[in-house]
Amino acid sequence: KQWYQRRVRAPPLNVDPDVYAKEKEFFGIKKEREVAVFIPEGDGSDGIDCVNSCRMKVHNFLQDPRSSSLAAVWHGFDIFFICISIGFLVFESEPKFKKQFTDKNETYYVPLFIINCIIMGFFTTDFLIRLVTWPSLLEFWKNLFNVLDILSILPFYVNLLVGSSDGEEAAGETANKQHYVVLRVCRIFRIVRIFKFVRHSRDLLIIMKAVSNAKRELILLVCLLFIFVITFGSIMYYIEANANKDFDSIMKSCWWVIVTITTVGYGDMYPTSAGGKLFGGFVLTLGIVFLALPMTIIVSKFSFVYEREKM
């Protein structure tokens, strides 16, 4: 005899309540009235329980490197392949090594391509297993890291498709331009691979959660910055427009305000009139105070959330 979960959730009598609660949370089962339901043997529920149990174990294996020694090895390989993938991305932009990654006639093209295929095969396998074992498909796509994973994998396969179509078609000038644009976009998306590191660091995950909890303060900071830049950029434009050709539009003046209040000071444009210099000093001083007010709130809240999550 055994206990089985139907529309009315019923915990088995021989299962620890904490374990049962974790399983309900894993499979997204909402809190409902719990009633003991008797189900006779041989109804096939053993197979369902076994599949759910295996899914949960595999899910924990991929999510938590501390779940087993094999999980630690898997996560170690993931980090190793991420490092190599980012290294390929960087060296591919170097003029001396670029042909080794793009020209099939070069000596090291084939070995590098094979290594890249192995890495992408590992990433694809990891992604597909996560997709299959995730408790809810909708929740899977709500997870930011899963979206980043698919964005980091797709460029490789799109690149293969574009490359194969180049070999099959009579490449006209228009087709070459379209393929070039597609490849450029794909290479940009390869940058998101670096964010795969965040999944393997608890401290980075805590920082992201702390930033998320301070989103209201960050929105306030952006709003204040927007108001400040537009207001003082417009004023500086009307002060310097006739005396300085660098301030020939409000957009350029806003750029000067951003560079000034962030204390970067590129020196690419600066006021030359007496009124412009006086107003520039006022903008710099007021900008520091203006930005310091919300920053203190953000830092204090960030510290509070960070310490709370670490505990």
Side-chain angles (χ1 to χ4, degrees), residues 286-297:
L286 188 62
I288 295 173
V289 177
F290 209 57
L291 293 178
L293 294 176
M295 283 302 297
T296 53
I297 301 173

Side-chain angles (χ1 to χ4, degrees), residues 8 48 60 64 66 71 84 99 116 118 124 129 140 143 145 149-150 169 182 184 219-220 226 239 249 257 263 271 285:
V8 178
I48 296 174
N60 291 335
D64 186 8
R66 297 168 295 180
I84 295 178
K99 285 189 176 180
N116 198 23
I118 294 172
T124 305
I129 295 175
F140 177 85
N143 188 290
F145 295 112
D149 281 347
I150 190 66
E169 297 177 359
V182 171
R184 294 291 291 180
I219 293 173
L220 173 63
F226 177 77
I239 293 175
S249 70
V257 173
T263 66
T285 306

Side-chain angles (χ1 to χ4, degrees), residues 88-201:
F88 279 10
L89 178 65
V90 173
F91 282 107
E92 190 176 334
S93 64
E94 289 291 327
K96 291 187 294 185
F97 306 113
K98 191 170 186 178
K99 285 189 176 180
Q100 301 292 340
F101 291 92
T102 56
D103 192 349
K104 296 181 180 180
N105 297 321
E106 291 293 328
T107 307
Y108 296 104
Y109 173 83
V110 174
L112 291 173
F113 179 75
I114 293 173
I115 294 172
N116 198 23
C117 287
I118 294 172
I119 293 171
M120 297 314 301
F122 180 87
F123 289 160
T124 305
T125 303
D126 182 84
F127 175 80
L128 292 177
I129 295 175
R130 289 180 190 275
L131 178 62
V132 172
T133 59
W134 209 268
S136 168
L137 188 61
L138 181 61
E139 293 298 324
F140 177 85
W141 293 112
K142 285 182 179 180
N143 188 290
L144 175 62
F145 295 112
N146 295 331
V147 176
L148 292 177
D149 281 347
I150 190 66
L151 288 177
S152 66
I153 294 169
L154 280 179
F156 174 76
Y157 295 103
V158 173
N159 195 10
L160 287 180
L161 291 174
V162 172
S164 62
S165 65
D166 279 343
E168 294 173 2
E169 297 177 359
E173 186 177 349
T174 305
N176 284 334
K177 286 182 179 180
Q178 292 176 347
H179 291 170
Y180 177 77
V181 172
V182 171
L183 290 176
R184 294 291 291 180
V185 172
C186 289
R187 285 167 183 166
I188 292 172
F189 276 113
R190 288 166 59 191
I191 300 171
V192 302
R193 291 177 190 174
I194 196 168
F195 292 103
K196 290 171 70 69
F197 273 122
V198 179
R199 175 176 280 157
H200 299 284
S201 174

